Amino acid sequence: MVSELGLVIFSVDYRLAPEAPCPAAIEDCYAVLKWAHDHAADLKIDRNRLIIGGDSAGGGLTACLALLARDRAEIKVLFQLLIYPMLDDRTGTTLMPSPALGEYIWTRSANHYAWNAYLGKTPGSPGISEYAAAFRATDLTGLPPAYIGVGSLDLFLDEDLEYARRLMAAGVPTEVCVIPGAYHVFDVFIPDAPLSRQFRASYFTALKRAIFQDFPENPA
């Protein structure tokens, strides 16, 4: 991303569960976003073109960060890049995905364990904050445009597609890419596979549109 798109990337070393359950990680993410925004001139970046993104649990944090930034109204986020994001604590517990999902790499039991560690209580419990599990949000209006990419065998397929549908219903421009036959983090395990290259090309294209939407490559 740095070499091809010319981005400056800040990787957040957020605190980890279970030693630091939510909201530690999301507050760390917000702190870095605000720091980058407030020091944009020193960092030689455009504070009006701040993009947030992540994959898996990081994708879930990204979706929560978009909600938090909207609600605190201190920072405008240009775009959210959600790569097979982990959005709903109920997946695999009270909410069951399609039977074929979650058989490879990231299973229902792994998902339950991770959510339990992050939330500090049983996944699916009432009163889970939308800043912990973005799928819990009831109002998605006013969020930045989104890209959601996921594999067709990923445990998160159902929740990701439903979240995308809800974003679009709320008037949020949203692009969806489903890679057939792909499991969770497939592109990390086999980065040079044709499907992995196709996936990267898809979200790189989405990022280019977001970044350069007001700056045509060949202005008249």
Side-chain angles (χ1 to χ4, degrees):
M1 287 185 181
V2 171
S3 60
E4 184 171 330
L5 303 180
L7 300 180
V8 176
I9 294 180
F10 301 90
S11 180
V12 184
D13 187 19
Y14 55 82
R15 288 167 287 172
L16 301 176
E19 292 78 9
C22 67
I26 188 62
E27 289 295 347
D28 290 347
C29 292
Y30 188 84
V32 171
L33 177 63
K34 191 171 189 309
W35 179 84
H37 174 270
D38 293 347
H39 294 83
D42 296 333
L43 296 166
K44 295 181 173 59
I45 61 174
D46 186 347
R47 66 192 299 176
N48 296 313
R49 295 182 178 276
L50 295 175
I51 290 172
I52 56 177
D55 60 276
S56 194
L61 284 170
T62 298
C64 292
L65 184 58
L67 290 162
L68 193 59
R70 177 200 65 183
D71 294 345
R72 290 185 177 174
E74 297 177 307
I75 305 158
K76 182 179 179 181
V77 174
L78 179 70
F79 189 76
Q80 52 179 322
L81 180 69
L82 308 177
I83 304 300
Y84 30 76
M86 184 176 179
L87 301 170
D88 193 346
D89 62 292
R90 297 163 295 184
T91 293
T93 54
T94 57
L95 181 69
M96 296 300 293
S98 303
L101 306 180
E103 295 298 316
Y104 305 100
I105 306 300
W106 193 252
T107 63
R108 292 169 176 81
S109 60
N111 202 50
H112 184 275
Y113 178 87
W115 274 114
N116 188 74
Y118 183 61
L119 297 174
K121 57 183 173 181
T122 303
S125 298
I128 301 296
S129 169
E130 63 191 56
Y131 306 134
F135 201 91
R136 296 283 195 137
T138 56
D139 179 12
L140 301 182
T141 58
L143 290 174
Y147 173 99
I148 297 180
V150 64
S152 67
L153 296 180
D154 196 313
L155 179 67
F156 300 147
L157 176 67
D158 287 351
E159 64 185 75
D160 289 356
L161 292 182
E162 177 59 17
Y163 194 70
R165 186 199 66 78
R166 291 175 54 207
L167 283 171
M168 289 183 274
V172 178
T174 303
E175 179 178 348
V176 179
C177 176
V178 177
I179 300 297
Y183 47 82
H184 195 59
V185 297
F186 69 98
D187 54 325
V188 176
F189 283 100
I190 314 176
D192 293 326
L195 286 180
S196 299
R197 293 198 299 268
Q198 175 188 337
F199 188 43
R200 281 194 300 275
S202 174
Y203 64 78
F204 270 44
T205 298
L207 283 170
K208 289 176 184 176
R209 280 199 302 270
I211 297 166
F212 302 115
Q213 58 184 335
D214 297 328
F215 294 93
E217 294 184 7
N218 298 301

